[in-house]
Amino acid sequence: MARFFILAAAGLVALTLNLALLGPHSARASGVQGDANCNISVGVDDALAILNQSAGLTPSASCIYNGDANCDGHYTADDVLRVLAYLAGAPLPPIPGCLPVGSPYQTTPSPTPVISPPPGPTFTPTPVPSIIPTSTPPPTSPASVTPTPTIPPPTHTPAPNQTPRTSGDPTCQVFPSDNPWNTDISHAALDANSNNYVDFIGRYTHLHPDFGTVWSNAPIGIPYTIVGGNQPQVPISFYYDTESDPGPYPIPPDVPIEGQPVGQPNTSSFGGDRHVLVVDETACKLYEVYNAQPINGGQSWIGGSGAVFDLNSNALRPDTWTSADAAGLPIFAGLVRYSEVVEDGVINHALRFTVSDTQAAFIHPATHEASSDTNTNAPPMGLRFRMKASYDCSWASTEVQVICTALKKYGMIVADNGSNWYVSGAPDSRWSDDHLGDLKSITGDAFEVVNTGEPIRHNTN
């Protein structure tokens, strides 16, 4: 063990010197224990990210949830030491119920099946009948014939939304007006544990807009696509098929994928959560996929998990089921969209946000937990926060004032493990990142928790 602690000390020095290399991002676990940056391996960069988190600095790792190497629900120096021990080859006692560092458990797929597209229809030409000429009859006296008017062929009115679009609002409403996402909670009663929840996440930790234009050559946020009923549906399979809604899904072959670098086609070469969101506004259905991977140029897909939501219904997913979101929630319903903020000037729904540590529990409309932490001060999935009515946003940009108004009326819901107080939205080249940056001046102290139900605990992940 002496060798381990010497190596650990050296590693900690290196970590301290390299904190500046880390940049902020939020995402879910990649599937390798200890892999905090989603590159499907464990290295010094993962130890750096965990130390950054434990020091209370701006979280940076895409898959920081995997950085909880001892499965105690927190990111501490012990997690850093376990990662360093793994890198040094030093033995560590196993922890019951916790995978050893370096063990894959989620996103390493089985060999990708090659799915051939269905054969196109075979058309048999209709034979042309032989024409037997007949003798020309003698001319007859011209009769008075009223000419038949020429009727022009009917004009074809194309169905709306023939071409998918990646901005704007769908024509159908996103869930009924009495859906939890669309419910005014400005006068809802406070949760008795409100202060403890806020303190746990960070009363003086700042909000962050997890959406905008482009950062590190990739659009900032979770993109979406709106299609019409003419969009072909394609086959899709899931790693977590027992908690996923089966295909086919109407996914365009060139659909934008979360994390996809600018100018790069849909390939498997970029990491992150790789969310795909598609709204079929003709059928009023929402299709969402986590870790979406195209096959044969998008002729079919494979994903980690997938969910289909009827936008005309308030039905929840079955308890303990995930979705494309860790909480089992729809993602699109909680995104900040440019069309709402700038074009409409109003957001009429709750927002989605992430925290680094969650409780092993959920509150409806969430249906899934993604933690083993039993600390009752940790926020359960689905916990709803509201900006205090007394908080003054008049100093902020017009965009942030619109967001503040929504946070006071509809609040925001804990939806995933990620960076603390990261508010989710859709990327758009028209955003002003400087204006959105005013969110970074707001701290957790501006919020309180409303009582929307008791946490449900199933002790499943």
Side-chain angles (χ1 to χ4, degrees), residues 1 4 7-8 80-92:
M1 292 300 290
F4 161 65
L7 289 169
V80 177
L81 293 175
R82 294 186 75 84
V83 170
L84 292 174
Y86 167 78
L87 296 174
L92 276 177

Side-chain angles (χ1 to χ4, degrees), residues 350-372:
L351 305 184
R352 171 191 187 272
F353 82 112
T354 63
V355 297
S356 61
D357 295 309
T358 53
Q359 187 184 152
F362 57 85
I363 298 175
H364 289 156
T367 58
H368 185 257
E369 60 198 46
S371 170
S372 58

